[in-house]
């Protein structure tokens, strides 16, 4: 059998000549020969299976550069590459779906809170970090500014302190950026992906550092919350203390499934095992939320060095009693120390005030 014209080959492969010209140009599927007289492209019939594969990969949305790489692989490796591609598409789609959901929530709640949020607010803040009474090193970070509040708890051992510092550093870059509240979430999601990569790069042959991260980034009267791991965010509003985050711990998954109750989880020897952390394995998935900053709100961000030893009732009374964020941070660290302070303590308190 001789060579086929582009039209005949396109019919045989189920592609258009236009698509074939594009694939030739980007090096995905080159013609077998070009007629030196007429300039016509000619294809070998044995190229049909490859052309069909390219068409199928295009149908699942794979970019041409990736298709070129897949076409050079043996079938087993190609199958793996397609699986990896599809996993990535699913992760990206889930992340976009989450952002879209948050955007919808934000847009629909807008009218309800507009009377209280429709003014300028400022934030008064304080941050404190304490090694505690038992550990001889500190892997926690507490950070606070007008725009950003953050705590991170790095794993014990080499690289833990660098991991928590890198996680907070990735967010401080966003303090200078400004834009609509919804952009905050997109920026935060991007910063967390960057931080995850930086933390993974801290790995040595036998050790992978990891860290939690819980942070609030403010833009005007909006606060974007990002959370991974078992550091926590609480809100004291109208005389009630609520927990805004969910611990990404193994014991919490057991509580959610009804296998452990709250007290058993708190006393479990594996209560600190994280199921999500920066540097923790597969691409990290952070919880994201958008909140309205209302005058009178008091936020608390802290590591498990505080919340695991000071119960909710005590947190509430110390937070409610403190005159300002500095006193609150000092009193909370004092409470943790009074409870034995077996772990590092990171603590940020911030008040939203009308200006
Ligand atoms: Mg800790």
């Amino acid at each position: 059998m001789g060579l086929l014209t582009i039209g005949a080959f396109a019919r045989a492969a189920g592609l258009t000549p236009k698509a074939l010209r594009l694939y030739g140009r980007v090096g995905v599927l080159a013609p077998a020969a070009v007629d030196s007289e007429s300039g016509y492209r000619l294809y070998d019939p044995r190229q049909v299976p490859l052309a069909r594969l390219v068409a199928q990969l295009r149908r699942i949305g794979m970019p041409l550069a990736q298709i070129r790489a897949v076409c050079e692989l043996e079938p087993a490796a190609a199958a793996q590459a397609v699986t990896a591609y599809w996993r990535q598409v699913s992760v990206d789609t889930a992340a976009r779906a989450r952002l879209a959901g948050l955007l919808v929530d934000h847009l629909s709640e807008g009218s309800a809170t507009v009377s209280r949020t429709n003014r300028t607010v400022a934030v008064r803040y304080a941050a404190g970090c304490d090694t505690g009474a038992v550990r001889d090193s500190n892997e926690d970070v507490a950070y606070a500014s007008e725009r950003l509040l953050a705590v991170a708890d790095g794993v014990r051992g080499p690289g833990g302190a660098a991991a928590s510092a890198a996680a907070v550093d990735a967010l401080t870059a966003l303090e200078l950026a400004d834009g609509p509240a919804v952009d905050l979430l997109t920026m935060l999601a991007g910063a967390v992906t960057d931080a995850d990569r930086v933390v993974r790069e801290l790995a040595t042959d036998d050790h992978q550092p990891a860290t939690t991260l819980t942070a609030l980034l403010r833009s005007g009267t909006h606060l974007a919350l990002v959370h991974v791991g078992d550091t926590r965010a609480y809100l004291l509003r109208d005389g009630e203390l609520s927990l805004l985050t969910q611990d990404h711990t193994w014991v919490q998954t057991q509580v959610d499934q009804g296998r452990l109750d709250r007290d058993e989880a708190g006393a479990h020897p594996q209560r600190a095992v994280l199921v999500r952390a920066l540097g923790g394995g597969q691409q990290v998935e952070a919880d994201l939320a958008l909140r309205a900053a209302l005058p009178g709100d008091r936020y608390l961000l802290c590591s498990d060095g505080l919340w695991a030893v000071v119960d909710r009732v005590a947190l509430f009374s110390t937070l409610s009693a403190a005159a300002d964020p500095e006193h609150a941070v000092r009193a909370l660290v004092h409470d943790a120390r009074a409870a034995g302070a077996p772990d590092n303590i990171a603590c940020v308190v911030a008040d939203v005030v009308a200006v």
Side-chain angles (χ1 to χ4, degrees):
M1 206 190 309
L3 294 172
L4 301 175
T5 62
I6 191 166
F9 183 74
R11 272 191 303 280
L15 287 160
T16 63
K18 190 177 165 204
L20 283 174
R21 280 191 291 272
L22 170 67
Y23 300 162
R25 230 174 16 248
V26 299
V28 165
L29 182 68
V34 178
D35 186 317
S36 59
E37 296 281 305
S38 62
Y40 286 156
R41 295 144 196 267
L42 299 167
Y43 290 83
D44 189 319
R46 283 172 301 185
Q47 288 179 291
V48 168
L50 181 60
R52 288 198 177 132
L53 174 62
V54 172
Q56 282 157 346
L57 293 172
R58 285 297 277 170
R59 235 168 272 144
I60 63 169
M62 188 180 276
L64 285 167
Q66 237 169 309
I67 292 180
R68 192 168 54 217
V70 169
C71 287
E72 283 163 8
L73 299 172
E74 296 296 317
Q80 251 175 23
V82 172
T83 306
Y85 164 73
W86 196 250
R87 191 180 306 128
Q88 189 58 49
V89 168
S90 310
V91 168
D92 292 348
T93 305
R96 287 167 62 188
R98 231 170 20 251
L99 283 171
L102 291 165
L103 176 55
V104 170
D105 287 351
H106 169 61
L107 291 171
S108 27
E109 80 155 18
S111 53
T113 48
V114 76
S115 58
R116 276 176 87 183
T117 59
N118 198 9
R119 48 173 151 176
T120 324
V121 298
V123 172
R124 310 264 179 267
Y125 53 85
C129 210
D130 192 290
T131 305
V134 175
R135 301 276 177 86
D136 54 10
S137 64
N138 175 43
E139 285 87 28
D140 281 10
V141 173
Y143 179 90
S145 74
E146 258 290 308
R147 294 284 312 278
L148 177 68
L149 312 168
V151 292
D153 181 346
V155 292
R156 277 176 93 175
S164 55
V168 173
D169 274 355
L171 299 189
T172 54
L174 303 180
E175 286 179 290
L176 299 174
D178 226 331
V182 170
D183 289 351
L184 284 185
L185 289 171
T186 317
M187 292 188 320
L188 272 176
V192 167
T193 306
D194 291 347
D196 188 38
R197 199 191 51 243
V198 173
V199 173
R200 281 173 204 227
E201 286 167 5
L202 296 172
T204 60
D205 286 346
D206 52 1
H207 189 78
Q208 172 62 65
T211 183
T212 74
L213 177 66
T214 301
L216 286 164
L217 181 66
R218 185 170 75 91
S219 171
T221 54
H222 288 102
L223 289 167
L225 172 72
V226 65
H227 167 67
V228 183
D230 70 347
T231 32
R232 287 183 173 182
Y234 293 88
L235 170 62
L236 182 65
R237 174 184 283 177
D238 299 333
E240 258 179 69
L241 184 67
S242 40
L243 176 60
L244 304 180
T245 50
Q246 220 185 359
D247 299 337
H248 298 143
T249 54
W250 179 79
V251 290
Q252 183 60 44
T253 63
Q254 301 304 296
V255 170
D256 295 342
Q257 293 166 13
R259 292 170 206 253
L260 286 179
D261 67 29
R262 216 159 274 287
D263 291 340
E264 288 169 331
H268 199 281
Q270 286 170 333
R271 61 187 175 275
V273 172
L274 298 174
V275 290
R276 278 198 244 167
L278 295 177
Q282 290 265 319
Q283 186 179 24
V284 76
E285 204 185 310
D287 291 342
L288 293 166
L290 201 54
R291 312 193 52 84
L294 302 184
D297 285 352
R298 174 168 280 180
Y299 283 91
L300 164 66
L301 271 53
C302 65
S303 63
D304 62 342
L306 178 66
W307 66 253
V309 294
V310 178
D311 68 24
R312 187 99 154 239
V313 177
L315 284 183
F316 171 76
S317 66
T318 300
L319 268 181
S320 316
D324 55 45
E326 286 205 7
H327 282 95
V329 166
R330 225 173 299 152
L332 290 167
V333 171
H334 176 269
D335 288 353
R337 283 198 152 263
D343 194 2
N344 304 149
I345 307 149
C347 179
V348 170
V349 174
D351 288 351
V352 180
V353 294
V355 283

